Amino acid sequence: MKARIKDLLRRVMGINNARFLGMSMARIRSYKSLAFNFWTDFRLYCKESTIFKKDSYRKIEALIILDYHRIEKGLLFESMKPRFAMVSIVALHVYLNKEMVIAAKSRTQIKVAYQLMCQYYDLHQRAGIYIGDYYTNEQYVFYKNILGEEYSNDFQGAIKYSFDSFYRFNEADFKCFSNSRKSIRNFTGEKVNEVLIRDAVQLAMNAPSVCNRQSAKVYLVEDKVKIDKILEIQGGFRGYTEQVGQLLILTTDRNYFYTIGERNQLYIDGGIFLMNLLYALHYYKIANCPANWGKTVQEEEVLSKYIFLPNSEKIICMVPIGVANPEFSVCLSRRRDIDEVFISL
Ligand SMILES: Cc1cc2nc3c(=O)[nH]c(=O)nc-3n(C[C@H](O)[C@H](O)[C@H](O)COP(=O)(O)O)c2cc1C
């Protein structure tokens, strides 16, 4: 066993024989426990996530949300791009025809998927755009029947705002303030004053963190060439990048975590900081949308060509920021019913 651990340490951590011999048993036990914990995380992620299997209701629901959200995002453009999100429509046909999905039609996320499919068809019909090669009238009628009384041609997957109506609650009580925060993807292209961004980051720093260790950092990128390269790698902001002139990169620093049990704490503290940052930006009327950095190490290597970040830091999220247009739309992003989330045991 000792030989196997030794070999593993040599190969994975670059720890040679001499260093290994000098190590205390307690240290060796820690390496072993860390490896075991990461291995267990690895196994659970393989088994329970949607990478390899797409066979349970919750896995299918996740894929449905992913694809319906692409339709919502396509609805944000002032003039509709004909036949937008075609790949998502094709994927949704497969999921939305599954019996287990039809049986769950009253669940929020399934219902909104059927509603978006109907809105998509109605919009193309009204605009006289042919989509029959990937979305037939028969399919549309089928979805409409599933919705029954829940179908309405007033349904909107995107909500329109004026600048003033969007920010009318930014200094209201927390309930109104929180209900009014939404991701904005369309900016004027004008730059937000750096002093205001600093104020927002300062406010976000009220975020609690484990033992107050405050591992978060926020970088501001304003070089448009770099922003475009970074967002190209990011990939989830396609179609909206043109007007992005400022990008925040939120990281947390591994130096601040000291136990094996804390191996995921950097993501937790980073997530808490992110939420506070989004609220702080909203408070200061800085339009923003989190842009996920759920990336592989290979993608992070490509990123390092454009931006230097210390190895100890993990990117939690990117946040394109800007000034909102006088009129703009945001995604509906329907939330679940409380009973889907709050369970009393
Ligand atoms: C960690 C994280 C990553 C996200 N990544 C993206 C992204 O890559 N592209 C995008 O358009 N929206 C992204 N979003 C925005 C979500 O789509 C949005 O928060 C969600 O639909 C809820 O809508 P709301 O923020 O308007 O309430 C992300 C949100 C979070 C929290």
Side-chain angles (χ1 to χ4, degrees), residues 190-202:
E190 199 185 325
K191 280 207 164 76
V192 179
N193 189 321
E194 197 178 316
V195 176
L196 205 62
I197 301 172
R198 282 178 74 92
D199 287 346
V201 174
Q202 175 88 63

Side-chain angles (χ1 to χ4, degrees), residues 230 232-235 238 292-306 315:
I230 295 169
E232 202 182 307
I233 303 166
Q234 192 274 333
R238 286 200 189 108
N292 87 82
W293 192 255
K295 296 291 172 200
T296 60
V297 285
Q298 292 91 332
E299 286 162 313
E300 295 204 326
E301 253 172 54
V302 181
L303 179 80
S304 67
K305 283 192 215 153
Y306 305 105
I315 298 175

Side-chain angles (χ1 to χ4, degrees), residues 77-140:
F77 293 102
E78 229 167 86
S79 52
M80 180 181 81
K81 287 188 183 164
R83 297 164 64 91
F84 70 93
M86 190 204 295
V87 175
S88 292
I89 296 288
V90 172
L92 282 165
H93 283 321
V94 177
Y95 306 135
L96 296 177
N97 279 283
K98 286 187 185 288
E99 268 178 31
M100 68 167 135
V101 174
I102 298 170
K105 65 182 185 184
S106 57
R107 285 180 69 91
T108 50
Q109 303 307 299
I110 304 302
K111 195 198 300 173
V112 83
Y114 285 121
Q115 286 169 320
L116 277 159
M117 287 300 263
C118 288
Q119 187 192 358
Y120 183 94
Y121 192 88
D122 288 338
L123 277 174
H124 282 84
Q125 284 303 106
R126 255 180 265 138
I129 300 163
Y130 176 73
I131 54 171
D133 50 332
Y134 64 95
Y135 192 172
T136 64
N137 181 258
E138 201 186 342
Q139 286 164 316
Y140 167 68

Side-chain angles (χ1 to χ4, degrees), residues 69 73 181-183 185 234 236 289-292 317 333 335:
H69 190 49
K73 280 165 62 171
R181 188 213 55 81
K182 287 269 166 197
S183 297
R185 295 171 179 82
Q234 192 274 333
C289 178
N292 87 82
C317 201
S333 293
R335 297 306 200 262

Side-chain angles (χ1 to χ4, degrees), residues 171-183:
E171 289 192 26
D173 62 73
F174 182 71
K175 189 175 173 185
C176 292
F177 173 77
S178 175
N179 280 327
S180 72
R181 188 213 55 81
K182 287 269 166 197
S183 297

